[in-house]
Amino acid sequence: MTKKDLIEIVAQKAKLSKKAAKQAIETFLNETMKALASGETVKLSGFGTFKTKMFKAKTIKAIGSKESKKIAARRMPRYIPGTKIKKMVK
């Protein structure tokens, strides 16, 4: 499913125009990204939790050349599925 598909489904089920559905979905996505960027956790009951995880800096060896490379510490987004979604996918 793509974002375009989701917009069409929301527009149809909520009886909204495609423009209104697109605005609603984009607002949701933008606010979720802003919350994650500021270090907040986003919990959607039954669907799951979006949060960020901090990874330490580390040194790795490249497979082909065997050179050592340093990877800087970074924060990455994570998704933890809720119980309802786990049961549906099972």
Side-chain angles (χ1 to χ4, degrees):
M1 178 183 291
T2 64
K3 189 161 112 175
K4 185 179 178 182
D5 296 336
L6 184 60
I7 290 168
E8 289 178 16
I9 291 167
V10 169
Q12 183 182 35
K13 293 207 175 204
K15 296 181 180 159
L16 297 171
S17 66
K18 285 187 183 179
K19 185 176 180 179
K22 180 179 179 180
Q23 184 177 12
I25 290 170
E26 287 184 354
T27 300
F28 167 76
L29 294 174
N30 289 333
E31 293 303 315
T32 300
M33 288 187 280
K34 283 181 193 176
L36 291 172
S38 66
E40 293 179 53
T41 299
V42 179
K43 293 182 181 183
L44 302 172
S45 182
F47 185 76
T49 303
F50 296 91
K51 62 182 183 176
T52 57
K53 181 178 179 182
M54 191 67 188
F55 289 90
K56 296 186 278 184
K58 61 182 176 180
T59 304
I60 62 166
K61 290 195 178 203
I63 295 172
S65 63
K66 307 270 183 181
E67 278 184 40
S68 293
K69 288 186 177 182
K70 289 187 179 183
I71 297 177
R74 65 209 182 281
R75 195 170 47 149
M76 297 292 289
R78 291 286 175 250
Y79 169 70
I80 300 161
T83 52
K84 283 184 182 177
I85 212 166
K86 283 181 185 178
K87 286 179 183 177
M88 285 183 77
V89 173
K90 201 173 187 181

